[in-house]
Amino acid sequence: MDNDLLNQVVDIACRVVASGAISANGHGNVSVRVPGADEMYFTAAPSLRNHPASAVVRVGLDGTLREGDLPPIQGAVVAMHTAMYADQPDVSCVLHTHSPYATAFAVANRPIACWIEALAMFGLASGVPVAAYGPRGSEQAIANIRAAVTPGVPAVLLANHGVLVFHRTPELAIMTGGIIEEAAQASINAANIGGPVEVPEELRAAALQRAMTFDAKATARA
Ligand SMILES: [Zn+2]
C-alpha cells in the first residue's frame, strides 16, 4: 500500500465530510485511481466519518481485491467506481454519498436541473441526470449508471440511493458534490415560493465563460 495514496483517500473522505454534502450517518465511499496502473484505492469502512487508514483497500479495475479487507456490503459498490475509471480515462477520483437533498431527488427519481449558477460554471449546465434503479452493484445498476452518464457531465443521481460524482481531480469531485447538494437544497426550499427557475439555457455558456475569465485572473490585492 502506497502511503501517499492511502493518506490522500483518507483526506478526501475527511474533506467530503467537512463539505457537509453527506448524510448524518456518513455513508458513502471515495476512491482514487492509481496513476498509470489498473487499480484504485477505495474506502472500505461503512462511514466516511473518521475513516481509518487501515480500512482503505487496493482494488484492481477488474474488481479484484488486491490488498486489505473488503466487507461484502462495501464490496457491492466497488463496481460503480471501477466502471467510471474504465470508461473515462480522465477520471481520477470517484465519490459516492447519500447527501440528503440530492438523495431526495434520487428518491423522487427526478433529475436536478440548472437552478444555480454554479452548476453552469462547473460542467453541469445540463443538470444532473438520474440513473434508473438497480440493486446496488448489480449488473443492472452499473448498466443504468453507464446509460445515464453524459459525456462531459461529472455526476449522476442513483435512483432510490444517492449520488455518484467522478472527476479529473479530487478537488473538483468534492466541489461538484457540494454544488449538487446546494442546488438540490435550494430547489427544495424554492418549492414553497413558486418553485425553482432554471438559468436561461442561452446564458449558461456565458456563466461558464465568466467563470473561466475569473479563473484566469490573479487575486486582487490592495
Ligand atoms: Zn450508497
Side-chain angles (χ1 to χ4, degrees):
M1 200 79 75
D2 178 274
N3 258 331
D4 286 348
L5 285 166
L6 186 69
N7 292 335
Q8 189 187 12
V9 174
V10 172
D11 179 57
I12 296 166
C14 187
R15 285 157 63 200
V16 170
V17 171
S19 79
I22 188 87
S23 55
N25 56 21
H27 277 324
N29 22 80
V30 164
S31 65
V32 292
R33 185 201 293 270
V34 179
D38 63 338
E39 63 180 28
M40 65 176 186
Y41 279 46
F42 175 80
T43 54
S47 170
L48 293 178
R49 286 186 200 285
N50 305 314
H51 191 286
S54 58
V56 173
V57 297
R58 201 160 60 84
V59 183
L61 295 191
D62 62 356
T64 310
L65 178 65
R66 293 184 177 171
E67 192 174 353
D69 298 324
L70 183 60
I73 188 76
Q74 293 305 106
V77 292
V78 156
M80 70 185 186
H81 287 250
T82 55
M84 297 302 98
Y85 295 120
D87 294 354
Q88 302 178 68
D90 62 335
V91 165
S92 77
C93 179
V94 179
L95 305 182
H96 164 60
T97 71
H98 302 168
S99 67
Y101 289 96
T103 299
F105 278 85
V107 166
N109 288 16
R110 283 190 50 187
I112 290 172
C114 191
W115 294 308
I116 65 169
E117 182 181 46
L119 290 173
M121 290 164 64
F122 293 101
L124 293 157
S126 56
V128 188
V130 182
Y133 179 74
R136 69 175 62 189
S138 64
E139 279 183 26
Q140 187 186 359
I142 303 305
N144 291 345
I145 291 168
R146 285 185 153 133
V149 170
T150 312
V153 178
V156 295
L157 298 176
L158 307 171
N160 309 98
H161 183 178
V163 191
L164 188 67
V165 179
F166 29 92
H167 222 312
R168 296 188 300 280
T169 67
E171 290 69 28
L172 285 168
I174 294 165
M175 189 179 65
T176 300
I179 290 170
I180 291 168
E181 182 66 0
E182 188 183 350
Q185 182 173 18
S187 159
I188 288 168
N189 288 342
N192 286 327
I193 50 171
V197 175
E198 289 187 57
V199 175
E201 202 166 348
E202 68 278 12
L203 290 178
R204 292 177 204 167
L208 172 62
Q209 194 59 47
R210 278 189 70 76
M212 287 163 66
T213 307
F214 294 144
D215 218 30
K217 284 186 178 169
T219 300
R221 291 208 164 83

